[in-house]
Amino acid sequence: MEIPSEFRDAMLEHAAEDHPNEVCGMLGVLDGKVVAHYRIKNAHPSPYRYEMDPKEHFVTLREVEDAGWEPAFYHSHSHSPAAPSDTDIRLAAYPTNFYLIVSPHRFDGNSQQIGEEPQVRAFLIDEGEVTEESVVVTA
């Protein structure tokens, strides 16, 4: 997946603004490249979970699909690695669409911060099976 730096930065800014709560949103993807970014309200703000506001989710999904793009979904992990949690895997509803997780820092497997560099990772989640997709950030 190719992500122009402006969209990576927009997701990270979104995560920073609502820290320590998780944030969520949607991306428009065309031919494997992110072409649009949409913030969606977290209906249940919490540092440990997110739920996209149902109305915003529906309206945004329709806008993305009407534009001819594939939707991808993102959320932040403010206190843990940028990898799907058990809850993320259980709640994944779109098996052919990417789920991106952004984290303001690098964390080890025990959620201990081990670096200052932010992370953006992409995954396909289908019936509990998680496959990571490479992310290339472009200028």
Side-chain angles (χ1 to χ4, degrees):
M1 168 175 282
E2 183 180 331
I3 304 176
S5 59
E6 67 180 291
F7 297 124
R8 184 225 27 220
D9 295 348
M11 289 186 290
L12 290 167
E13 284 175 19
H14 188 194
E17 288 173 14
D18 284 9
H19 184 81
N21 293 329
E22 290 191 4
V23 300
C24 50
M26 195 177 302
L27 303 168
V29 180
L30 181 64
D31 298 327
K33 180 179 180 179
V34 174
V35 295
H37 168 257
Y38 302 86
R39 290 181 179 204
I40 296 178
K41 179 183 173 185
N42 183 349
H44 301 286
S46 162
Y48 306 107
R49 67 178 290 234
Y50 76 98
E51 180 182 335
M52 289 188 182
D53 176 87
K55 182 178 179 182
E56 285 186 46
H57 180 222
F58 175 77
V59 168
T60 305
L61 184 60
R62 174 165 268 183
E63 184 175 329
V64 167
E65 290 177 339
D66 286 351
W69 305 327
E70 290 290 324
F73 308 95
Y74 78 88
H75 73 280
S76 63
H77 281 183
S78 56
H79 302 315
S80 62
S85 67
D86 291 341
T87 301
D88 296 336
I89 294 167
R90 188 177 71 253
L91 297 177
Y94 298 90
T96 61
N97 298 89
F98 287 105
Y99 290 87
L100 287 84
I101 302 176
V102 301
S103 180
H105 307 290
R106 184 173 299 277
F107 294 92
D108 68 11
N110 296 314
S111 298
Q112 298 298 310
Q113 184 177 332
I114 58 173
E116 289 293 326
E117 64 276 4
Q119 291 189 296
V120 177
R121 296 172 68 192
F123 304 89
L124 288 172
I125 305 173
D126 185 7
E127 295 186 15
E129 184 74 27
V130 178
T131 306
E132 186 167 5
E133 171 77 6
S134 66
V135 172
V136 176
V137 179
T138 59

